[in-house]
Amino acid sequence: MFAVHLLAFHFAKLKEDQIKKVDRYLYHMRLSDDVLLDVMARFQAEMVKGLGRDTNPTATVKMLPSFVRSLPDGSESGDFLAVDLGGSQFRALEVKVFNDGKQSSQLESKFYPTPKEVIQGSGTELFSYVADCLSDFMESRNLKHKKLPLGFTFSFPCKQTKLEEGVLLSWTKHFKARGVQGTDVVSSLHKALQKHKDIDVDVLAMVNDTVGTMMTCGYDDPRCEVGLIIGTGTNACYMEEMRHIDLVEGDEGRMCINTEWGAFGDDGALDDLRTEFDRELDLGSLNPGKQLFEKMISSLYLGELVRLILLKMTKEGLLFNGKVSAALLTKGKIEMKHVSAMEKYKEGLSNTKEILTELNLFPSEDDCIAVQHVCTIVSFRSANLCAAALAAILTRLRENKKLLRLRTTVGIDGGLYKTHPQYPKRLHKVVRRLVPNCDVRFLLSQSGSAKGAAMVTAVAYRLAAQRKQIDAVLAPFLLSLETLRDVMNKMRTELEYGLKRETQDRATVKMLPTYVCGTPDGTEKGKYLALDLGGTNFRVLLVKIRSGRRRSVRMYNKIFAIPLEIMQGTGEELFDHIVQCIADFLEYMGIKGARLPLGFTFSFPCRQASIDKGTLVGWTKGFKATDCEGEDVVDMLREAIRRRNEFDLDIVAVVNDTVGTMMTCGYEDPNCEIGLIAGTGSNVCYMEDMKNIEIVEGNEGKMCINTEWGGFGDNGCIDNIRTKYDKEVDEGSLNAGKQRYEKMTSGMYLGEIVRQILIDLTKQGLLFRGQISESLRKRGIFETKFLSQIESFSRVLQETVRELAPRCDVTFMLSEDGSGKGAALITAVAKRLHNVGQK
């Protein structure tokens, strides 16, 4: 018994000594977590570089757009073909996808060899071989009589400008076919297929094997948004936000990015981590200086790395008594399958002895232990480096989503991951250590990346069909120029009705005179208060205006909330709240004793008899305070100030927010004579000739008219362009039947229109797998700010105006300081004109 223990102790000690010897020898291959975190940071920087338009040309990690915009949602169906070119074998497949609620599919495939003379011959021969194999497969499956869509998995770096096109940037792995680099491989395949008159195949999609893997796994797990290949080569893809992809137009949604991370370090970024063995292997490869990261990770190179290490250790007398065999001197004699066999848990040492003996090396027990540990270090480094780059991608996904913790799935394929006994466990463990704030599921692709090409094609088919149906739903919103000209003419008719005394009462566009008869001329000066009421917030401002050479406007303001119960309470409660806010601001600014002139921006329809009198015509935008309509809002404000009895103000002007906006911009640009609001509400004002305003006495000069165009169409004149969604939103509003034009153009209602459309599309099974979520059922879930992130409102507005009014040279000027500043400027102008009148 003692002898057995002694023998076990001796063997353990022997093993420990051999492991320490190898650890010392391969010290630079053993990477600490600090080093891996540094690699992770370097890779993150390369990703950003690859995504940028200006930096992409010099980036080693090319971050190629794949034009795959959507993952499978389970509603795909149909028969599809796929071919997979990129590894040690070529594969043809038939994939049947069923929309049966179970996300089921059937797959039949056939493998074909990839002879060296084909993959390193001419491009024409290569694609002819692919077409021949596909024809053979279709004949074996009795498919030649069918017209079928095909997805093409092509596992090499390609630049894509659309889903069905890919220009080869460079060959990798052991492929070297002539005349293909810089050409469209889909076109080459299409030409080769055309020679087979007995088959009818339409190549709809070209994807990288990583993208194919992500799509295959995404069919089984909707959380899958990363694809990873660790096999003959290595690469990864992931779903990136469109707003970060400078190489592709548009910023909505996401697109799958093929990182092509195998080239990471080709610029020297990893030179401090590359060993003499990595450099020697690279020099002897088909593509020296290229794909340096891949050469440290993938199965095509790891066996050769092990051979180079064993050769040097033997030459230095550390292994096999210093005796080198002819086999050990021969490139490619140790392959990844040997490395995997030597690292097996129980039979690893016996496998090692058998493999080394076949190489005529006659190993001792301690040689076998040392060689096994060399294999472990080489494969462990591969897993570590792969984990560091993958952790960078996961971190980017989490940061893109602005999450504290990410839950996601990584789809994986590749022979090294599948066949190496320890690799998956090592990779998972290191990834979770590097990104502890990511809950990652690793999902092995059971059907390979070729099925993914078929799934991309199936998704493309589904999206095309859905797009057709969605376009039909949205067709009423796509207004032609002819329709818009008709709306323009109807609006002009209503404008003229509003200006005439006999038709003003029945006009839907009220054309309210503002009694603002001048714009700033630069001589205004002094201190003014301004109030701005029109949305869910109320603003009080102190505006200091200087004239002369040092002309300037300085503003101090404070924003106050208006609770819903105040907005929809009594008029007295609303104006008492406003005065309370003014008192707080005066106290805050230390000017409670000063009697300053005040301009009141009141963004609701008012009929004015003078610049300081405004009778509320009707509430809009969710306000419903009682006892206000038909009353002078300036008098209501004065009465509230008297009730408080703390301060007094000189209320000079009451203006609409559109007028305030025009005055603010007019201070900067004297040509400004129109004010436009496109926000919570929608309205416009402009300077009209007095001779055209029949409802005001006088013919000289101009006056600003507040159109109150939100009521346009309340008489039914634009019912032909109102959709069922517009009508649904109107019926559910506080003022049904009123402000119809505003409900089609303003931010307060657009989000609700979008929500109604989404509900309708979901009911038709076109979105969200037909499931209406509880949040989608809630009114107000889509706010204006979300829509502004989706569509460029201002660009469309400006382009359409220029098309409809080609003889008008229009400058659009954004009001940086809002309509509150405008109210102060109107007050200043009114004071200036009053003083001129007195003189």
Side-chain angles (χ1 to χ4, degrees):
M1 189 69 182
F2 175 73
V4 172
H5 282 298
L6 187 63
L7 186 63
F9 173 76
H10 171 73
F11 183 76
K13 188 76 171 68
L14 174 69
K15 189 171 184 179
E16 184 184 330
D17 290 344
Q18 292 304 310
I19 288 172
K20 284 182 179 177
K21 178 175 74 174
V22 173
D23 281 346
R24 284 194 299 272
Y25 195 79
L26 298 179
Y27 172 77
H28 291 295
M29 281 190 162
R30 299 175 66 237
L31 307 177
S32 67
D33 280 2
D34 285 343
V35 171
L36 294 178
L37 288 168
D38 183 45
V39 171
M40 181 177 153
R42 294 184 211 182
F43 188 74
Q44 284 176 306
E46 281 298 314
M47 289 170 75
V48 173
K49 198 174 174 183
L51 288 169
R53 181 177 282 109
D54 297 332
T55 50
N56 176 271
T58 58
T60 56
V61 180
K62 284 299 179 186
M63 304 294 283
L64 302 172
S66 70
F67 291 84
V68 171
R69 299 287 305 273
S70 177
L71 292 162
D73 72 355
S75 65
E76 295 78 14
S77 63
D79 290 5
F80 304 92
L81 290 173
V83 291
D84 185 2
L85 181 67
S88 52
Q89 289 182 306
F90 169 74
R91 191 181 182 197
L93 305 91
E94 178 194 10
V95 181
K96 291 177 183 285
V97 184
F98 305 101
N99 183 10
D100 55 4
K102 301 175 184 176
Q103 290 186 236
S104 57
S105 61
Q106 284 181 1
L107 185 148
E108 296 291 338
S109 69
K110 189 174 180 180
F111 286 94
Y112 296 87
T114 49
K116 188 175 180 180
E117 62 271 18
V118 171
I119 64 175
Q120 294 184 13
S122 73
T124 303
E125 291 168 345
L126 173 63
F127 287 103
S128 293
Y129 178 74
V130 171
D132 292 345
C133 293
L134 180 63
S135 177
D136 173 76
F137 174 74
M138 291 181 73
E139 186 165 355
S140 70
R141 296 289 304 153
N142 193 27
L143 296 172
K144 285 197 169 182
H145 63 287
K146 289 185 177 182
K147 178 179 173 67
L148 292 171
L150 179 138
F152 182 19
T153 299
F154 188 72
S155 310
F156 304 94
C158 285
K159 182 178 180 180
Q160 292 186 255
T161 53
K162 48 189 174 183
L163 189 59
E164 67 278 15
E165 179 186 280
V167 175
L168 178 66
L169 297 177
S170 62
W171 286 116
T172 59
K173 294 168 273 198
H174 49 287
F175 280 70
K176 206 75 173 173
R178 300 183 303 277
V180 183
Q181 198 166 320
T183 66
D184 177 13
V185 295
V186 176
S187 176
S188 299
L189 177 60
H190 183 67
K191 285 175 187 173
L193 288 168
Q194 281 184 319
K195 293 175 184 175
H196 290 265
K197 304 298 182 185
D198 56 341
I199 63 175
D200 190 1
V201 173
D202 192 8
V203 185
L204 286 189
M206 191 215 82
V207 298
N208 188 275
D209 52 350
T210 52
V211 182
T213 296
M214 182 189 75
M215 295 297 279
T216 299
C217 295
Y219 187 66
D220 297 319
D221 183 346
R223 288 188 185 276
C224 184
E225 51 190 343
V226 180
L228 175 62
I229 298 289
I230 318 169
T232 310
T234 184
N235 193 16
C237 70
Y238 72 102
M239 296 300 289
E240 177 60 87
E241 302 295 324
M242 280 290 290
R243 66 181 183 274
H244 296 151
I245 309 172
D246 288 353
L247 304 173
V248 178
E249 291 300 318
D251 54 7
E252 301 170 25
R254 301 201 296 173
M255 180 182 287
C256 181
I257 289 291
N258 165 23
T259 66
E260 286 299 338
W261 76 11
F264 178 38
D266 286 4
D267 59 352
L270 297 177
D271 280 0
D272 57 325
L273 300 179
R274 293 175 68 228
T275 65
E276 59 180 294
F277 308 110
D278 296 305
R279 285 187 275 274
E280 188 177 349
L281 179 143
D282 176 47
L283 288 171
S285 68
L286 285 171
N287 54 350
K290 307 279 187 185
Q291 299 294 109
L292 298 183
F293 191 60
E294 182 170 77
K295 288 170 183 171
M296 299 165 81
I297 291 177
S298 74
S299 63
L300 186 63
Y301 304 101
L302 295 193
E304 182 62 10
L305 264 180
V306 169
R307 186 189 71 82
L308 292 172
I309 294 166
L310 298 186
L311 179 59
K312 187 174 183 192
M313 289 182 73
T314 305
K315 285 179 177 179
E316 293 179 6
L318 297 172
L319 291 173
F320 317 125
N321 292 320
K323 294 176 182 177
V324 177
S325 69
L328 190 59
L329 288 166
T330 306
K331 182 180 176 182
K333 273 294 180 179
I334 298 179
E335 299 177 20
M336 194 62 224
K337 63 182 180 181
H338 300 128
V339 176
S340 295
M342 289 189 277
E343 284 197 73
K344 283 195 175 175
Y345 177 59
K346 289 185 177 177
E347 62 266 37
L349 279 176
S350 61
N351 288 343
T352 304
K353 187 168 186 176
E354 185 181 325
I355 290 164
L356 294 176
T357 301
E358 287 174 4
L359 296 172
N360 297 316
L361 289 168
F362 310 107
S364 64
E365 198 70 49
D366 55 351
D367 285 335
C368 291
I369 293 168
V371 170
Q372 187 186 49
H373 196 54
V374 168
C375 293
T376 299
I377 287 177
V378 169
S379 61
F380 212 127
R381 185 186 69 158
S382 165
N384 279 343
L385 289 171
C386 192
L390 178 58
I393 288 175
L394 294 170
T395 299
R396 184 168 183 87
L397 279 172
R398 184 181 60 78
E399 290 174 350
N400 280 350
K401 295 179 180 183
K402 297 179 173 60
L403 297 174
L404 293 175
R405 190 165 197 86
L406 174 72
R407 188 180 172 195
T408 192
T409 297
V410 176
I412 305 187
D413 199 5
L416 177 53
Y417 184 87
K418 286 179 176 179
T419 61
H420 191 285
Q422 310 295 333
Y423 203 98
K425 187 177 178 182
R426 289 173 185 167
L427 177 74
H428 303 172
K429 189 175 180 180
V430 178
V431 167
R432 287 177 177 128
R433 216 165 54 228
L434 294 177
V435 280
N437 48 5
C438 295
D439 295 325
V440 187
R441 181 192 180 202
F442 293 89
L443 180 60
L444 182 63
S445 171
Q446 301 296 333
S447 311
S449 55
K451 178 185 174 184
M455 291 311 309
V456 171
T457 309
V459 169
Y461 248 58
R462 167 177 62 82
L463 291 177
Q466 286 180 345
R467 171 59 61 189
K468 196 175 285 187
Q469 291 173 277
I470 290 170
D471 283 349
V473 171
L474 297 180
F477 291 91
L478 303 175
L479 305 178
S480 66
L481 277 176
E482 185 181 354
T483 301
L484 291 173
R485 286 193 184 99
D486 180 55
V487 173
M488 182 175 79
N489 292 332
K490 288 176 180 176
M491 174 68 83
R492 184 164 182 176
T493 299
E494 287 293 316
L495 296 178
E496 289 171 358
Y497 279 172
L499 287 172
K500 295 184 187 304
R501 184 174 283 108
E502 66 270 19
T503 54
Q504 211 265 347
D505 283 346
R506 64 175 186 270
T508 58
V509 181
K510 289 301 179 186
M511 305 297 283
L512 303 173
T514 65
Y515 293 86
V516 172
C517 298
T519 53
D521 67 359
T523 63
E524 294 79 15
K525 60 182 178 180
K527 294 180 183 179
Y528 303 89
L529 277 179
L531 312 180
D532 190 356
L533 177 69
T536 51
N537 290 328
F538 169 64
R539 198 158 61 125
V540 187
L541 306 92
L542 173 64
V543 182
K544 296 181 179 180
I545 305 174
R546 294 179 66 170
S547 59
R549 285 186 183 178
R550 298 172 68 185
R551 194 179 83 148
S552 65
V553 177
R554 292 176 65 188
M555 295 197 309
Y556 309 87
N557 72 86
K558 200 169 181 182
I559 296 172
F560 301 89
I562 300 187
L564 186 64
E565 60 270 19
I566 296 290
M567 289 169 61
Q568 298 179 9
T570 66
E572 191 171 296
E573 288 169 341
L574 173 62
F575 281 92
D576 282 346
H577 179 75
I578 289 170
V579 170
Q580 171 68 58
C581 296
I582 296 170
D584 289 349
F585 179 76
L586 295 176
E587 185 82 44
Y588 172 73
M589 294 300 298
I591 53 172
K592 210 164 190 179
R595 189 175 188 271
L596 297 176
L598 178 142
F600 185 11
T601 299
F602 188 76
S603 306
F604 304 93
C606 282
R607 198 177 305 281
Q608 290 187 251
S610 65
I611 198 169
D612 64 345
K613 287 191 175 296
T615 301
L616 177 63
V617 174
W619 286 117
T620 59
K621 294 176 284 193
F623 277 74
K624 270 288 187 184
T626 59
D627 305 321
C628 294
E629 293 177 1
E631 299 295 327
D632 182 353
V633 294
V634 176
D635 284 345
M636 293 186 78
L637 178 61
R638 285 182 177 135
E639 286 169 16
I641 292 171
R642 278 196 290 272
R643 279 197 299 273
R644 190 167 183 91
N645 197 27
E646 282 184 19
F647 54 86
D648 192 19
L649 296 172
D650 178 15
I651 304 173
V652 173
V654 58
V655 298
N656 188 274
D657 51 352
T658 51
V659 185
T661 297
M662 183 188 76
M663 295 297 276
T664 298
C665 295
Y667 185 75
E668 306 295 335
D669 182 351
N671 291 320
C672 183
E673 51 188 347
I674 298 174
L676 171 66
I677 295 289
T680 308
S682 174
N683 194 17
V684 75
C685 70
Y686 72 102
M687 296 300 290
E688 177 62 87
D689 288 336
M690 284 290 291
K691 63 179 182 289
N692 296 328
I693 311 172
E694 293 184 6
I695 50 180
V696 176
E697 295 297 321
N699 289 314
E700 295 179 17
K702 291 185 174 186
M703 180 182 288
C704 181
I705 291 291
N706 166 23
T707 67
E708 287 298 340
W709 75 5
F712 175 47
D714 286 1
N715 59 359
C717 69
I718 56 171
D719 279 0
N720 61 311
I721 63 167
R722 291 177 74 224
T723 68
K724 69 172 186 174
Y725 307 106
D726 295 307
K727 291 169 186 173
E728 285 171 6
V729 169
D730 179 38
E731 286 166 9
S733 68
L734 288 170
N735 55 348
K738 295 186 177 180
Q739 299 294 108
R740 290 181 179 179
Y741 188 66
E742 182 171 73
K743 288 168 186 172
M744 298 168 75
T745 56
S746 75
M748 186 170 183
Y749 302 99
L750 295 189
E752 186 57 20
I753 292 173
V754 168
R755 189 182 74 89
Q756 294 291 346
I757 294 170
L758 295 183
I759 288 173
D760 199 10
L761 293 175
T762 307
K763 284 178 179 176
Q764 294 180 45
L766 299 174
L767 291 177
F768 315 130
R769 305 190 184 199
Q771 302 296 313
I772 301 175
S773 67
E774 283 305 312
S775 57
L776 189 57
R777 295 180 194 277
K778 294 176 184 174
R779 291 181 64 87
I781 190 68
F782 284 105
E783 299 176 24
T784 316
K785 62 181 179 182
F786 298 146
L787 294 178
S788 64
Q789 291 168 7
I790 294 170
E791 180 54 79
S792 178
F793 183 94
S794 60
R795 176 179 56 79
V796 175
L797 170 70
Q798 292 178 35
E799 288 173 359
T800 308
V801 165
R802 288 179 180 124
E803 283 190 272
L804 292 174
R807 290 188 292 175
C808 298
D809 193 3
V810 185
T811 298
F812 289 87
M813 183 178 183
L814 184 65
S815 171
E816 299 292 347
D817 301 309
S819 54
K821 174 182 171 181
L825 285 166
I826 289 170
T827 305
V829 170
K831 280 287 188 183
R832 170 173 61 80
L833 294 176
H834 179 70
N835 292 338
V836 169
Q838 281 186 329
K839 289 177 184 177

